[in-house]
Amino acid sequence: MNMFNDNVARLALRDEPLAAAVKASAGGALTIEPARSGVPSARRSGRWIHSAYDPLREADTWAETHAPACREGETVVVAGVGLLYHVEALRKRLASDIVVAVLISDLNEFHDALVARPLGSWTDHIRWLSGTPVEIADRLSKTGRALRCLSYAPATHTDSDFHSAFEEALRRGVARQAGGQLTIALVGPIYGGSLPIARYVRRALETLGHKVHWIDHSVHASSYEAMGTLKDARNRQLMQGRMAEVLSQWTLASLAESPPDLVLSLAQAPLTLPVLEHLRKKKLLTAMWFVENYRHLTYWQQMAPGYDYWFVFQRGACLDAFRQAGARQVSFLPMAADPELHRPMDLSDEERRTYGADVSFVGAGYPNRRRLFPALLRRPWSFKLWGNEWDGADELQSVLQLNGARIDTDTCMKVFNATAINLNVHSTTGAGLDPQADFVNPRTFELAACGAFQFVDSRSQLPEFFTDRELVSFRNFDDIPGLVGQWLGDPAARQAMAAAARTRVLGAHTYVHRMRDLLGHIGLSQPDRVGAVLRGDRQQEALLSRCAGDAPLESLLKAFPAGQRVELKDVAARIRSKGSTATLKREELMVLMLDEYRSETRDLL
């Protein structure tokens, strides 16, 4: 107890409210046991938090791994308390101007740490973070310092929900304060469902003020599809594979024209693993938003080690599978809507007759839909079916529109707006509703953004995005006729629910929201690269303030307008514009020399 009281007294000198809270806590979260080396170790819920043999050596190894990445002026946030051996080892390795902050998710665990071992003078240079995840993230975001988050995994397992909530709040806080302009190469697929999503992403990034280099591979779709007409499957696969390799090299050549801060790909973008590995050697950051069901399209298994960041719209087993396949960082990023396209529309009477119905469905002819939809025929209400890949579904031909042609986005929006009840059934290769309902498709958000009323099959994630006052979900397809009868005769209730869903999407579920989250995540994990740009550290005025008093540098920077991002290549280009006969200052010659070196090291080809 004397050691605990001494530790609390030392803590009170830095954070009196926290000391009082720890003193009032019960403890008992950790089981303290001596390690083979003689110092205390600990277990929580039966799992070792520190080594049972030598916790000090283990802590040194952890700190030695992470310390080289930490930079001057950063705040390094450590998740995981335990007995703080790892925090002590890290603090002793870092320069004094690097702030080390410890995230306290459980006061009882912190209490046990103060009982188990004395806190030395190193703790006088620790910032303790307590409170709710949102409160802590808000305080950190307002400091204006670069943030680097580290995790001591053995001590974070039990409080994973707290740490996930903190990371999400911190990521969104960083994204909201982003003031700099990134250069992002956006690599789209040749064809498929992720192609329009790539266009939505482009518009969202540009809305946020970033410069987007759109590498559009859809211009090659006709050639790729022509190869698909080859009868011999081996030849077909060979030729399409060779074309994908050529397009991957084309992407590399495009990136070499002007290397970006980030290469962002959408699902099925033609980037091969060797090209991704080459980009990593050249220090380019790469990310993939995999907007597909990971169980149906499995090429990610070979590609997982290639990208620095993966973003997926499924959790649980999906995240585990990507990590096991070699993904370095994989995070949850759900689908969204683009309000510029997915919006309410004023339709003429003729358009309402053409595109409207009591019940409509828009989508491809997956096996479960072919099996379920015949039950909607010969009802006292009208039913229309829109989309392609319905060949052979003879029972549904009478309601299939446009002879089963693929419809464009504008037509799709007209159907959504003209229909009384939009049916939204997630696809699966089985006969019924998706038994693994662990994601929400884009159509859910798009319908809501249109202010369109919908029935959607029940999904595990759905309550995170919408309430039962914003859309109707069903667990059994046999319930559809009864639900149609209930809602078809109450247009005011449908309109109110659809309006509430639209408000929800506009406030939280657009592609602008998703891109903020994506860039916030990368910015947090790359505080000295993407994070620095997002914070505005590369803007002209920020650079001027950092070189105050250095007249030669100030003169170079003042040539650029306030608010503009300035990189070494920009300064070099401004100097070269003086012409080959200009007499250059020493500083200008040094800038040109550094830029030549940069060009050589970033020669992607």
Side-chain angles (χ1 to χ4, degrees):
M1 286 303 297
N2 287 336
M3 183 165 61
F4 174 74
N5 290 331
D6 289 345
N7 285 338
V8 169
R10 179 183 283 275
L11 178 63
L13 296 175
R14 300 275 298 170
D15 193 330
E16 190 170 349
L18 176 59
V22 173
K23 194 168 185 178
S25 64
L30 301 179
T31 301
I32 310 299
E33 299 181 26
R36 293 277 183 89
S37 62
V39 302
S41 190
R43 288 188 293 172
R44 184 167 185 179
S45 301
R47 299 173 58 141
W48 286 102
I49 288 179
H50 299 290
S51 169
Y53 296 92
D54 192 344
L56 296 179
R57 183 176 179 181
E58 177 190 57
D60 284 339
T61 300
W62 181 87
E64 187 177 355
T65 300
H66 292 286
C70 301
R71 300 287 185 269
E72 292 182 6
E74 290 182 345
T75 294
V76 178
V77 182
V78 180
V81 174
L83 298 185
L84 298 169
Y85 290 122
H86 55 294
V87 179
E88 179 179 5
L90 182 67
R91 176 68 277 178
K92 291 180 176 178
R93 275 177 167 76
L94 298 182
S96 59
D97 68 341
I98 299 178
V99 175
V100 176
V102 178
L103 187 62
I104 300 173
S105 57
D106 185 346
L107 287 173
N108 292 320
E109 181 183 10
F110 194 36
H111 177 115
D112 295 339
L114 302 190
V115 169
R117 56 187 292 255
L119 299 183
S121 58
W122 62 272
T123 58
D124 298 338
H125 306 283
I126 297 294
R127 182 179 177 188
W128 306 103
L129 303 173
S130 62
T132 69
V134 173
E135 290 170 346
I136 297 170
D138 187 55
R139 292 201 302 269
L140 285 170
S141 298
K142 290 178 179 177
T143 63
R145 292 174 63 93
L147 301 174
R148 184 178 298 276
C149 296
L150 302 180
S151 177
Y152 181 68
T156 60
H157 181 267
T158 305
D159 299 322
S160 58
D161 289 345
F162 182 97
H163 293 113
S164 296
F166 166 74
E167 290 174 9
E168 180 178 355
L170 188 60
R171 180 176 68 246
R172 293 188 173 178
V174 170
R176 282 194 302 271
Q177 296 179 0
Q181 181 192 62
L182 288 166
T183 299
I184 300 170
L186 180 62
V187 187
I190 302 172
Y191 66 97
S194 59
L195 178 57
I197 295 173
R199 296 188 176 114
Y200 306 153
V201 166
R202 177 188 181 185
R203 188 157 36 244
L205 291 170
E206 290 175 341
T207 298
L208 289 170
H210 302 296
K211 182 180 179 182
V212 180
H213 176 200
W214 169 227
I215 302 177
D216 183 9
H217 289 299
S218 67
V219 297
H220 308 292
S222 58
S223 298
Y224 189 85
E225 291 171 358
M227 293 176 183
T229 62
L230 294 171
K231 295 180 180 179
D232 189 307
R234 292 172 301 177
N235 288 336
R236 182 171 65 248
Q237 292 170 2
L238 175 65
M239 295 305 297
Q240 288 183 330
R242 291 281 176 85
M243 183 173 180
E245 290 176 2
V246 169
L247 294 183
S248 188
Q249 289 293 326
W250 168 264
T251 300
L252 184 62
S254 299
L255 297 175
E257 301 272 317
S258 180
D261 300 303
L262 173 68
V263 180
L264 174 60
S265 300
L266 269 290
Q268 301 194 67
L271 268 176
T272 63
L273 187 59
V275 165
L276 289 169
E277 291 172 341
H278 183 68
L279 290 175
R280 178 174 294 111
K281 291 177 182 177
K282 293 295 185 177
K283 308 299 183 185
L284 264 74
L285 293 176
T286 58
M288 159 69 85
W289 192 10
F290 188 74
V291 290
E292 303 280 2
N293 186 338
Y294 83 105
R295 299 184 185 93
H296 293 171
L297 288 180
T298 58
Y299 69 88
W300 58 266
Q301 295 172 345
Q302 291 73 45
M303 302 296 293
Y307 285 95
D308 297 307
Y309 300 91
W310 284 88
F311 295 90
V312 297
F313 60 36
Q314 291 158 287
R315 289 197 182 100
C318 175
L319 297 175
D320 293 339
F322 271 81
R323 290 171 184 138
Q324 290 170 6
R328 289 168 173 79
Q329 293 199 49
V330 55
S331 304
F332 174 67
L333 190 70
M335 299 310 303
D338 182 348
E340 289 194 29
L341 291 175
H342 309 127
R343 67 192 191 281
M345 301 177 71
D346 292 325
L347 302 177
S348 67
D349 291 341
E350 182 180 353
E351 287 174 323
R352 289 196 174 277
R353 285 192 296 271
T354 301
Y355 301 109
D358 293 327
V359 180
S360 291
F361 175 82
V362 178
Y366 275 81
N368 65 321
R369 296 165 178 166
R370 291 168 174 258
R371 180 72 176 269
L372 293 170
F373 288 173
L376 303 180
L377 303 177
R378 294 174 292 280
R379 296 285 179 176
W381 27 263
S382 59
F383 174 52
K384 288 183 179 180
L385 182 60
W386 303 80
N388 59 338
E389 299 180 16
W390 291 97
D391 296 344
D394 295 336
E395 284 185 271
L396 296 169
Q397 293 303 308
S398 63
V399 295
L400 185 62
Q401 307 300 301
L402 303 179
N403 294 318
R406 178 187 287 271
I407 63 174
D408 59 22
T409 300
D410 185 61
T411 301
C412 186
M413 294 307 104
K414 289 178 180 178
V415 173
F416 288 173
N417 277 272
T419 298
I421 299 173
N422 288 275
L423 187 58
N424 181 5
V425 178
H426 286 68
S427 62
T428 181
T429 55
L433 298 181
D434 185 2
Q436 296 173 305
D438 59 354
F439 68 93
V440 175
N441 64 14
R443 187 181 297 108
T444 307
F445 300 98
E446 293 166 4
L447 282 163
C450 288
F453 182 79
Q454 65 176 302
F455 290 168
V456 58
D457 51 319
S458 183
R459 317 294 293 174
S460 61
Q461 294 178 10
L462 202 56
E464 298 179 41
F465 308 127
F466 298 98
T467 71
D468 57 7
R469 295 184 299 277
E470 294 161 346
L471 48 75
V472 175
S473 65
F474 59 91
R475 294 183 179 277
N476 191 323
F477 195 80
D478 293 338
D479 295 338
I480 293 297
L483 287 170
V484 173
Q486 174 187 343
W487 287 93
L488 195 58
D490 195 345
R494 295 199 313 269
Q495 185 176 5
M497 183 171 278
R502 173 170 163 78
T503 298
R504 174 76 66 178
V505 167
L506 296 181
H509 303 309
T510 69
Y511 283 97
V512 168
H513 290 102
R514 300 300 184 245
M515 288 303 100
R516 278 198 184 116
D517 281 356
L518 183 146
L519 296 178
H521 179 93
I522 297 174
L524 271 179
S525 62
Q526 297 283 340
D528 50 337
R529 296 182 63 182
V530 171
V533 177
L534 289 174
R535 288 193 306 273
D537 290 356
R538 307 284 181 84
Q539 305 299 97
Q540 184 253 22
E541 56 271 32
L543 293 172
L544 271 174
S545 66
R546 287 164 59 187
C547 70
D550 191 320
L553 278 178
E554 286 182 338
S555 66
L556 289 174
L557 292 171
K558 285 180 179 178
F560 296 90
Q564 180 176 325
R565 176 179 170 182
V566 182
E567 296 290 342
L568 178 66
K569 63 180 180 179
D570 303 316
V571 180
R574 182 66 62 92
I575 295 170
R576 291 191 181 98
S577 69
K578 294 182 177 182
S580 58
T581 61
T583 301
L584 301 181
K585 299 176 183 177
R586 176 176 176 272
E587 292 76 13
E588 292 174 324
L589 291 170
M590 290 180 66
V591 167
L592 293 180
M593 181 184 70
L594 289 171
D595 187 59
E596 287 295 328
Y597 175 73
R598 179 197 62 83
S599 299
E600 291 176 7
T601 58
R602 294 297 291 273
D603 181 3
L604 296 184
L605 299 181

